Structure formats: C-alpha cells, structure tokens
Amino acid sequence: MALKQISSNKCFNGFQKVFEHDSIELKCKMKFGIYLPPKAESGKCAMLYWLSGLTCTEQNFITKAGFHQAAAEHGLIIVAPDTSPRGCNIEGEDESWDFGTGAGFYVDATEEPWKTNYRMYSYIKDELPKLINANFPTDPERMSIFGHSMGGHGALILALKNPGKYKSVSAFAPICNPIQCPWGKKAFGGYLGSDLSKWEAYDATHLVKSYPDSHLDILIDQGKDDQFLSAGQLLPDNFIAACTEQKIPVVFRLQQGYDHSYFFIATFVNDHIRHHAKYLNA
Amino acid sequence: MALKQISSNKCFNGFQKVFEHDSIELKCKMKFGIYLPPKAESGKCAMLYWLSGLTCTEQNFITKAGFHQAAAEHGLIIVAPDTSPRGCNIEGEDESWDFGTGAGFYVDATEEPWKTNYRMYSYIKDELPKLINANFPTDPERMSIFGHSMGGHGALILALKNPGKYKSVSAFAPICNPIQCPWGKKAFGGYLGSDLSKWEAYDATHLVKSYPDSHLDILIDQGKDDQFLSAGQLLPDNFIAACTEQKIPVVFRLQQGYDHSYFFIATFVNDHIRHHAKYLNA
C-alpha cells in the first residue's frame, strides 16, 4: 500500500496534498486529496471524509470549496477521494456522464462488467481509512463523513450502514432516495442488477428506517433553486419523512436562491466543518 | 456595449456572475466575472479589480481563490476579467503558454500581428470600468486593483501609471521587473518590438522611479518556495529597492513554504481584501 505524492501545496499553514496508490478493492490506481492542518505536525488529528458528486475527481473539492481555513482552525484532516475507478478500460465506462467513470455511486457492484472494479463502498469504508491511518497522524477513532450530491448519498449510506463508525454526517444537496430517481435507477440497475432488495441496501431513505438508534445528528443543506431538486433527482422530502418517523434528528436547511454548484458549497462549508468539529473534537 | 449573462450563482448571499460582451478595444468577445455582494442590492459599492496570471481566464479566481466571504462582508464588487483577447485567429497565438492567448501581459501592443487586438492595458484601464459602471451599482470614484503573477504586474503598472485612479493596489507574486526576466522579455519583445523605452513604460520597477507622490500603500505577498521566484521571473527585490529609494511604502511579506498556486492566494486573499477595504470604504 505504497503512496506516491503527486502534489503538495502549503495552505493556511497546513498542506493540501494529493497522493496516488494502487487500490486492492478497485484494481486500479486511485488518487485522493488530503489536507493536513497545522496541528498534524505535532499531534494526532480527527478525520473528515468528503465524497464528491457525479463527474468529479479528487480535485473539485480541494480547489473549489474553500474549506481550508476552517479545517486548519479546527485541526481536522480532510480526505477527499476520487469518485470512481479510473483507467479500467471497461467497455462503455465513458459513454454517459452519470454512469461509469465519474459515477461510482459508492456501491459495491455485483453485475458484469462492473463488479471487478466498481467497489467504491468497500474502498471508502475500509481500504482508504486503513491507508490513511497507516500513513498520517490520525486518531482512527475520530472520523466523520460528508459529501455533495452523489457524494451526499455516499456519506449518508456509509453513516447509516455503519452505526458508530462515523461521529457525525452531513451533506450538500444529497441524492436522498436513489431507488426513486432517474440517476439512481440508472446506476443501481447497472451496478446491482434488477433485485430491488440490493438497491434498498444503498438507499438512505430506506436505510434510515432500520437505523438502530438516534445518536446521529444529520445536517443537510439544500439549495432551493437547485435544478436537480426540481428535476426530482434529490428527493430530500422522502428522507426527512423517514427520519421524522424514526426520530432521527435532521437539520434540513433549504437555502433560498442557491443552486447545485461549488459556490453553494463554499458558502456553507464552514457550517458543516463546525458541525463535525463539535463531535470530532468533543 | 450590451452584456450577455453567461452564469449566475448565489454565493455568500451575493451573486457570482459571468458576462460576455463585444470589446471595442480588443475586437473580440470577452468574458468577465463579477461578484455582487449583498450590499449591491441596496446601494452603490466600491470596486476591486482582480487581474489573473499566465494561462488563466476569468474562471480561475472566481472558482479557486475563496474571496467571496470577505467581499460580502466588506461590501465590495470584485471584477475578474479574462487575461487576453480570445478567438482572434492570429497566427501563432496558441503556440506558447507564456505568449499570445492567455498571456496578454496588460500592455497595448504596437507590433504586428498583435497591435489590432492585444490592447489589454486600455481594456482594463478604460473600457471595462466604463462598462461596469454603466451596468452595475458602483461608485466610480472608489476603485482598487490587485492581481497575481502576470496580473500582479498588471495591477502594479495600472496603479503606477495612473496616480489617483486606484485607491490602493496589492499583488500576489507579481512579475515586478518584466524588462529583466525571461517572461517579460519574450512578451514585451513580441508585443512592443525592440524599443526599450516602450518596455520601460510597462515595468513596475521602472515606473515607480517617476511616481509623483507617496499616497500609495502597496501590499505584496510572495511565497518563499515559489518556483518562479527562484527562476528569476518575479524579481521583487528590484521593485522593493526602487520603492525604498522613492519612499513609496511597500509591505512585502515573504511567506515561508508557500508556492505560486491558488492555495497560496486563498490563504492570504482575506488580508488583501481587508487592505483594499481600508481605503475603499474609508
């Protein structure tokens, strides 16, 4: 599990780095971004994992979100992986922008030709944290997760499927109920086949119904003018209804005038980092 | 001088917009970014012009610098133009990354085949502010300028050649003495020909020697690990020596460990906006 450093840039007295490694789960080379706050020079830090959305790589969040100052101040290591396996030369992987390359959807595929490489769920859950903990000054017990759009879906399902693993979870404009929206149907159909019980195992709105306790404060920001909200791709109402029924606390903020872009994320990312720091640095 | 809106994204309660227009000076379509802070909804705002560096467009600063929160708080309109004429189909314009497209150098070219379109100095000095003042809630009397690398050169020469026009000036890793560095020699030779007196008219270190008064506080941040500093492209020492001789106040901060990237800019952009707000909102 050797790491190759691709770049290193000082930022707010810490370092934004990008590394490449050979992934065992995904059977390809993967890159991830990692921000090491100034505190990482002298002690162990809690970790906050960021999952990006459709079409993104490890670059979008680290160049556009403007999170470095807050991460430096709260002493958090921020890990921003790529969204999908790369360079696998699977037939059709580059045909759509919302399936295949750039659209891993954070599931473990069970169908050909995807099941060999498209194992983003296990990669994010196990392989990447193991790699991060082995190579950086982390406290493995203190870990949280957040993400955007497809990555908001990823953050929610990882937290809901693994009670206790993450101290907190939050999302920007997450795909809340993928089994009910066009993006999710296309992705889950392709990666998981036609058995709907396999789809439900990766759907936040379904998963929350069997979440065992209420020790999870969820923060969601959603732009009210988000084109994908009105297109029925995100379906936060379904998720909120399920949380309400289950008595899981959700702070859902519908932000007037904001869209699906990184300008929206940049505006509220400090609030999210503060939300996570409350649990990670408690 | 009609404006066509290309994009509009809400950000920190204001709007980051991009417009396109037909430039009279440059004889081509040009884009610029403009951030309208919340204050612009109810009153006139001061303006801060940002000039980007080599290879950049209007996108780099608005997506990567993380300046929106500070601009919103200080109520400043931030204008980020493109760096060079586009789509002029001049032979050789795309041959080098440091000359032609993406490398306008903020001069008015006098040589063929550049002199028809490459008039970035006049575009930034006259045409663009006129357009901005005609279309947005600005106070035309309150205007400042800053930039990065080639754009830092641009900001310094615009301020030094036009005493009183800008309330303040600052720069990140500016090309301080272009007539003495490889980038500048290539650009000025191409755009201005072999007459060195024409080169001096666009060189900050030369211009400061005849600057008429000392009512200009200059702030410069320079990464100590900037590869272009060690390559002799930036030459801040020459500029500081000229300022010292002329008794022009310069705050020059050599930032340990920082490079030439937008991670460096993002780290210190709040300080620069505060520097300008002090003069613009006085």
Side-chain angles (χ1 to χ4, degrees):
Chain A
M1 299 220 290
L3 293 181
K4 180 182 164 196
Q5 183 170 297
I6 302 296
S7 64
S8 176
N9 300 91
K10 194 167 182 180
C11 192
F12 285 97
N13 269 322
F15 284 91
Q16 176 61 57
K17 293 173 181 273
V18 173
F19 290 93
E20 187 177 74
H21 71 108
D22 289 304
S23 167
I24 296 159
E25 282 291 353
L26 310 178
K27 296 175 187 64
C28 65
K29 283 192 192 307
M30 288 295 282
K31 288 182 187 152
F32 64 87
I34 184 165
Y35 180 65
L36 299 164
K39 192 189 163 195
E41 282 185 28
S42 57
K44 292 187 173 185
C45 297
M47 282 159 288
L48 180 52
Y49 283 79
W50 169 265
L51 303 184
S52 286
L54 285 164
T55 76
C56 290
T57 70
E58 85 289 347
Q59 286 294 319
N60 301 66
F61 185 68
I62 67 177
T63 55
K64 294 182 173 181
F67 67 87
H68 294 99
Q69 183 166 15
E73 285 170 6
H74 291 287
L76 301 182
I77 289 177
I78 311 258
V79 182
D82 201 348
T83 57
S84 320
R86 302 280 167 181
C88 297
N89 295 315
I90 299 171
E91 204 186 320
E93 68 182 354
D94 294 330
E95 272 173 19
S96 326
W97 67 276
D98 56 359
F99 186 74
T101 312
F105 258 85
Y106 306 101
V107 303
D108 285 348
T110 56
E111 300 303 294
E112 295 290 2
W114 311 103
K115 68 181 189 183
T116 304
N117 304 97
Y118 277 66
R119 297 181 53 78
M120 286 298 295
Y121 177 73
S122 291
Y123 175 70
I124 300 295
K125 182 167 89 75
D126 298 319
E127 183 178 1
L128 186 59
K130 202 178 286 180
L131 189 69
I132 299 294
N133 291 331
N135 287 281
F136 300 97
T138 63
D139 173 355
E141 298 301 308
R142 289 188 293 140
M143 174 162 72
S144 288
I145 193 160
F146 67 156
H148 171 230
S149 195
M150 178 184 78
H153 142 74
L156 291 173
I157 62 159
L158 275 147
L160 292 168
K161 285 167 81 72
N162 300 282
K165 187 176 182 76
Y166 300 97
K167 297 283 183 199
S168 50
V169 62
S170 77
F172 294 84
I175 304 172
C176 289
N177 196 185
I179 68 178
Q180 301 284 2
C181 80
W183 280 342
K185 286 177 186 173
K186 179 172 178 177
F188 286 11
Y191 298 136
L192 305 173
S194 54
D195 178 354
L196 289 193
S197 70
K198 288 202 217 157
W199 293 26
E200 290 176 347
Y202 291 110
D203 182 286
T205 298
H206 186 81
L207 287 166
V208 87
K209 292 174 185 165
S210 54
Y211 190 74
D213 63 38
S214 62
H215 294 300
L216 190 67
D217 267 339
I218 304 172
L219 169 63
I220 295 178
D221 273 312
Q222 172 64 58
K224 198 175 174 194
D225 288 8
D226 184 332
Q227 58 174 313
F228 301 115
L229 177 66
S230 48
Q233 296 282 21
L234 307 174
L235 305 172
D237 294 350
N238 298 357
F239 181 70
I240 294 163
C243 287
T244 304
E245 191 156 323
Q246 198 65 17
K247 300 191 172 57
I248 305 268
V250 182
V251 173
F252 178 79
R253 311 192 301 186
L254 194 59
Q255 305 283 9
Q256 187 85 36
Y258 286 89
D259 59 26
H260 201 70
S261 70
Y262 268 84
F263 294 109
F264 158 62
I265 295 172
T267 302
F268 300 107
V269 75
N270 290 349
D271 294 351
H272 285 242
I273 288 179
R274 209 177 301 121
H275 167 80
H276 292 292
K278 187 172 71 179
Y279 298 94
L280 290 169
N281 294 333
Chain B
M1 297 219 292
L3 292 180
K4 180 183 162 196
Q5 183 170 297
I6 302 295
S7 64
S8 176
N9 301 92
K10 194 167 181 181
C11 192
F12 286 97
N13 270 322
F15 284 90
Q16 176 61 57
K17 292 173 182 275
V18 173
F19 290 93
E20 188 177 75
H21 71 108
D22 289 305
S23 166
I24 296 160
E25 282 292 356
L26 310 178
K27 297 174 188 61
C28 65
K29 283 191 192 307
M30 288 293 283
K31 288 184 187 150
F32 64 86
I34 183 165
Y35 180 65
L36 299 165
K39 191 189 164 196
E41 283 185 29
S42 57
K44 293 189 171 183
C45 297
M47 282 158 290
L48 180 51
Y49 283 78
W50 168 267
L51 303 184
S52 287
L54 286 164
T55 77
C56 289
T57 70
E58 85 289 346
Q59 287 294 318
N60 301 64
F61 185 68
I62 66 177
T63 55
K64 294 183 172 179
F67 68 86
H68 294 99
Q69 184 166 15
E73 286 171 5
H74 292 286
L76 301 181
I77 288 177
I78 311 257
V79 183
D82 201 347
T83 57
S84 318
R86 303 279 167 182
C88 298
N89 295 315
I90 300 171
E91 203 187 321
E93 69 182 354
D94 294 331
E95 272 173 19
S96 326
W97 67 277
D98 55 1
F99 185 73
T101 312
F105 259 87
Y106 306 101
V107 302
D108 285 348
T110 56
E111 300 302 296
E112 294 291 1
W114 311 103
K115 68 180 188 183
T116 305
N117 304 98
Y118 277 66
R119 298 182 52 79
M120 286 299 295
Y121 177 71
S122 290
Y123 175 71
I124 300 296
K125 180 167 91 70
D126 298 319
E127 184 179 2
L128 186 59
K130 201 178 288 182
L131 189 68
I132 300 294
N133 291 331
N135 287 279
F136 301 96
T138 63
D139 174 355
E141 298 302 307
R142 290 186 292 141
M143 175 163 71
S144 289
I145 193 161
F146 67 156
H148 172 230
S149 195
M150 176 184 80
H153 142 74
L156 292 173
I157 62 158
L158 276 146
L160 291 168
K161 285 167 81 73
N162 300 282
K165 187 177 183 72
Y166 301 98
K167 298 281 182 199
S168 50
V169 62
S170 77
F172 294 85
I175 303 173
C176 289
N177 195 184
I179 68 179
Q180 300 284 359
C181 79
W183 279 339
K185 286 178 186 172
K186 180 172 178 179
F188 286 11
Y191 298 135
L192 306 173
S194 55
D195 178 353
L196 289 193
S197 70
K198 288 202 216 160
W199 293 25
E200 289 176 347
Y202 291 110
D203 182 288
T205 298
H206 185 82
L207 287 166
V208 87
K209 292 174 186 163
S210 55
Y211 190 74
D213 63 39
S214 62
H215 294 299
L216 190 67
D217 268 339
I218 303 171
L219 169 63
I220 295 177
D221 273 311
Q222 172 64 58
K224 197 175 175 192
D225 288 8
D226 183 332
Q227 60 175 311
F228 300 116
L229 177 66
S230 48
Q233 296 281 21
L234 307 175
L235 306 171
D237 294 351
N238 297 358
F239 182 70
I240 294 164
C243 287
T244 304
E245 190 155 322
Q246 199 64 17
K247 299 191 172 57
I248 307 270
V250 182
V251 174
F252 179 80
R253 312 192 302 185
L254 194 59
Q255 305 283 9
Q256 187 86 34
Y258 286 88
D259 59 26
H260 202 71
S261 71
Y262 267 85
F263 294 109
F264 158 62
I265 295 171
T267 303
F268 300 107
V269 75
N270 290 349
D271 293 353
H272 284 243
I273 288 179
R274 209 177 301 121
H275 167 80
H276 293 290
K278 188 172 70 182
Y279 297 95
L280 290 170
N281 293 334

